[in-house]
């Protein structure tokens, strides 16, 4: 499993970049579209909610370090915690009214993914700057197990991100447009992986950013 240090690094890395929160739904909708399931997509699906659920806050069950407003400090912020009505915020009608990612929703209900969604995502959700696939992998795969041969590396996390969100070789052009695959120099303060133990459960994110905002 990924180490707590790796997840912390990802939170700091993502939190330092301007990112539209609805990029979470873009990842999900794109995957559903590639599988031919876009018509059945739902912001209340377990697949979406498992990406953002985090124990540790008394009233807000969701946490993801993607924000497009406010001051970025490169460290956890109270605004990373999200209230339980996030499904309503990501419903088709709500997304349709968004400035920026409105092209993912239809006025009459349902989700959409136009043919030029990659360029739209780059401009409207990533604000013309690619995002670290390693950081997204560390965060969104934080509760996943890895079965690997040999010594695990950061490249395995990038591979896991590509597998989870359906970026195989035939989607390389998309991947290269939206993400960087850079791996930072080794940091002696943490390792990317911890050994898996059967009783491993997610730990609450007990930090100073628990403010109710």
């Amino acid at each position: 499993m990924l180490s707590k240090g790796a997840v912390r690094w990802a939170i700091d890395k993502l939190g330092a970049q301007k990112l539209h929160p609805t990029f979470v739904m873009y990842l999900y909708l794109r995957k559903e579209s590639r599988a031919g399931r876009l018509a059945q997509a739902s912001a209340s699906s377990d697949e979406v909610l498992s990406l953002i659920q985090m124990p540790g806050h008394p009233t807000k069950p969701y946490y993801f370090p993607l924000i497009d407003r406010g001051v970025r400090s490169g460290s956890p912020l109270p605004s990373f915690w999200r209230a339980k009505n996030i499904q309503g915020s990501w419903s088709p009608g709500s997304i349709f009214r968004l400035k920026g990612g409105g092209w993912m929703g239809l006025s009459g209900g349902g989700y959409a993914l136009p043919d030029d969604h990659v360029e739209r995502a780059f401009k409207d959700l990533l604000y013309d700057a690619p995002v670290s696939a390693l950081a997204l992998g560390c965060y969104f795969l934080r509760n996943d197990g890895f079965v690997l041969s040999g010594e695990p590396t950061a490249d395995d996390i990038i591979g896991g991100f590509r597998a989870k969100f359906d970026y195989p070789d035939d989607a390389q052009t998309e991947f290269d447009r939206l993400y960087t695959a850079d791996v930072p120099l080794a940091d002696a303060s943490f390792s990317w992986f911890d050994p898996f133990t059967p009783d491993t459960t997610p730990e609450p994110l007990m930090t100073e950013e628990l403010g109710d905002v």
Side-chain angles (χ1 to χ4, degrees):
M1 294 188 72
L2 290 164
S3 69
K4 182 184 286 189
V7 177
R8 287 283 187 182
W9 172 85
I11 291 171
D12 292 347
K13 178 77 171 176
L14 295 171
Q17 183 173 345
K18 184 179 181 180
L19 299 166
H20 200 295
T22 315
F23 190 68
V24 178
M25 277 300 288
Y26 172 75
L27 288 170
Y28 165 69
L29 293 176
R30 178 193 166 277
K31 180 179 179 180
E32 295 302 285
S33 179
R34 281 178 62 89
R37 299 189 299 260
L38 188 59
Q40 292 78 46
S42 170
S44 299
S45 73
D46 290 342
E47 186 169 359
V48 172
L49 299 183
S50 68
L51 296 174
I52 60 176
Q53 286 172 332
M54 179 78 78
H57 196 285
T59 61
K60 296 185 177 183
Y62 306 122
Y63 186 97
F64 49 102
L66 284 76
I67 58 171
D68 60 349
R69 289 177 288 182
V71 178
R72 284 156 195 79
S73 62
S75 59
L77 297 171
S79 54
F80 294 169
W81 288 102
R82 308 301 171 103
K84 61 181 65 176
N85 65 344
I86 193 68
Q87 299 99 311
S89 300
W90 287 347
S91 67
S94 295
I95 284 185
F96 176 75
R97 294 189 294 271
L98 282 178
K99 180 182 179 181
W103 42 270
M104 290 186 287
L106 300 172
S107 59
Y111 294 104
L113 209 63
D115 291 342
D116 62 345
H117 65 86
V118 177
E119 287 305 312
R120 289 181 184 234
F122 184 75
K123 178 179 182 295
D124 297 335
L125 306 181
L126 301 184
Y127 299 99
D128 299 306
V131 62
S132 167
L134 178 58
L136 290 172
C138 284
Y139 189 71
F140 289 129
L141 278 67
R142 64 192 180 281
N143 295 322
D144 294 2
F146 289 72
V147 179
L148 303 169
S149 59
E151 187 71 19
T153 69
D155 288 329
D156 293 314
I157 303 172
I158 296 174
F161 170 79
R162 296 185 65 152
K164 189 176 187 74
F165 294 104
D166 199 6
Y167 283 99
D169 290 345
D170 66 7
Q172 188 65 45
T173 300
E174 286 188 56
F175 183 86
D176 290 342
R177 182 60 170 159
L178 299 179
Y179 310 104
T180 66
D182 299 336
V183 175
L185 296 175
D187 187 334
S189 66
F190 72 89
S191 58
W192 295 109
F193 290 90
D194 283 337
F196 174 76
T197 55
D199 61 347
T200 298
T201 56
E203 295 185 30
L205 190 68
M206 304 305 295
T207 69
E208 67 280 0
E209 80 277 11
L210 277 177
D212 193 16
V213 298

